[in-house]
Amino acid sequence: MRSLWRTLDRELARDVALVCVACAFVGASFGAITVSSGLPVWLPMLMSVVVFAGAAQFMFVAIIVSGGNLFAAVLTGLLVNTRLLPLGFAVGDVFGDGWPRRLLGSHVTTDETAAFAMAQQDPGKRRAVFWMCGIGLFVCWNIGTLLGAFGGTVIGDTDAFGLDAAFPAVLLALVLPSLKDGPTRRAAAVGVAIALATAPFVTPGVPVLLALVGVVASLGGEKVAS
Amino acid sequence: MMLVLAVVVLGAGTFAFRVAGPALRARVEISPRVETLMVIGVAVLFAALVATSTLIENHGFAGYARTAGVLVGGILAWRKAPFVLVVLAAAGTAAMLRLLGVP
């Protein structure tokens, strides 16, 4: 493990740490909102360990609180998380060998972890940042949830700190360098258009999957720079 | 009790998605062509995720403050500003606008 940390340069470690801290705040808000909505204190903590997917957890709780049934809450959460399959396919080679690593690596795969990993060119660095970000986010998310669940409304609405803008910005900063060539840009533009056009009408999670159709727009034309 | 079961089912299903991707990758031969399409696919996925999580909430517009925050972050990232600055500027812009009463 020690050699993993040495592979990471200081700057990258600082970037990951920043996202982990932000994640802890959102976790705290998840814990606080869930408990203050009248749900049991164990629920947010169990969810953060077992589910470990922010958007799905918030939606699950919102549906239950608004009187929706459990089946709808589970289904919505699952649909939001379908994107983890293609993400896992893309970063699935960074875990290393052996079942323990594969299972643990799969469980800590999130948008941010995958984005940090994909942004690295060097395989060693890619693996190091994956594990650092994956484990760091898991620990911070759960500590945050725990504090929020028991600490109550100290941190209520993280929107006041602009954290809802921070997370898209994190992904944008990490994905921007990969939008370097024409075909990728075309595909991304079409994908974004599809996602935004469908988002008002379909369940969350589906627009992002539909966006993958945009890959077709990368075919033909000039060669992809690799 | 039903609530525990619901969380376990959601967790198991989510884990299944997470395991399926890497498992599938280990089984199929990845040609350079597929590799290229996969890298493009991930870029498209993230771009769509950024767009929807910035602009959409509850099937409607998420508001000007968040949009402006991400936009400021995006411009800084494009100008190759440090990652920390990008993230803090995005959050700061949104927070500041909300303080001024912008939705």
Side-chain angles (χ1 to χ4, degrees), chain A residues 79-224:
Chain A
L79 274 172
V80 173
N81 288 341
T82 44
R83 68 177 191 289
L84 293 167
L85 200 157
L87 276 187
F89 186 82
V91 295
D93 62 336
V94 301
F95 302 161
D97 297 322
W99 279 107
R101 274 169 188 268
R102 260 193 237 172
L103 294 179
L104 185 64
S106 296
H107 190 56
V108 299
T109 302
T110 60
D111 302 324
E112 290 77 20
T113 312
F116 264 112
M118 294 296 285
Q120 304 306 317
Q121 300 300 323
D122 173 61
K125 221 170 171 186
R126 185 177 273 210
R127 173 164 306 174
V129 81
F130 176 87
W131 284 109
M132 186 195 179
C133 190
I135 292 172
L137 283 179
F138 186 80
V139 170
C140 290
W141 179 245
N142 278 285
I143 289 176
T145 305
L146 185 85
L147 293 177
F150 285 108
T153 48
V154 182
I155 298 172
D157 188 9
T158 50
D159 284 7
F161 310 119
L163 285 184
D164 59 324
F167 281 91
V170 164
L171 292 182
L172 184 56
L174 293 171
V175 78
L176 213 51
S178 71
L179 300 175
K180 57 187 185 295
D181 55 80
T184 307
R185 279 191 202 154
R186 273 206 307 276
V190 173
V192 165
I194 292 172
L196 289 178
T198 54
F201 313 106
V202 298
T203 318
V206 177
V208 184
L209 293 181
L210 294 175
L212 286 172
V213 175
V215 173
V216 174
S218 72
L219 304 173
E222 74 266 47
K223 278 261 185 286
V224 180

Side-chain angles (χ1 to χ4, degrees), chain A residues 20-32 41-54 57 104 107-108 110 134-150, chain B residues 18:
Chain A
C20 287
V21 170
C23 184
F25 277 98
V26 179
S29 119
F30 172 71
V41 76
W42 55 262
L43 180 70
M45 295 191 291
L46 179 68
M47 287 194 85
S48 286
V49 174
V50 176
V51 182
F52 185 48
Q57 289 179 224
L104 185 64
H107 190 56
V108 299
T110 60
I135 292 172
L137 283 179
F138 186 80
V139 170
C140 290
W141 179 245
N142 278 285
I143 289 176
T145 305
L146 185 85
L147 293 177
F150 285 108
Chain B
R18 284 181 162 131

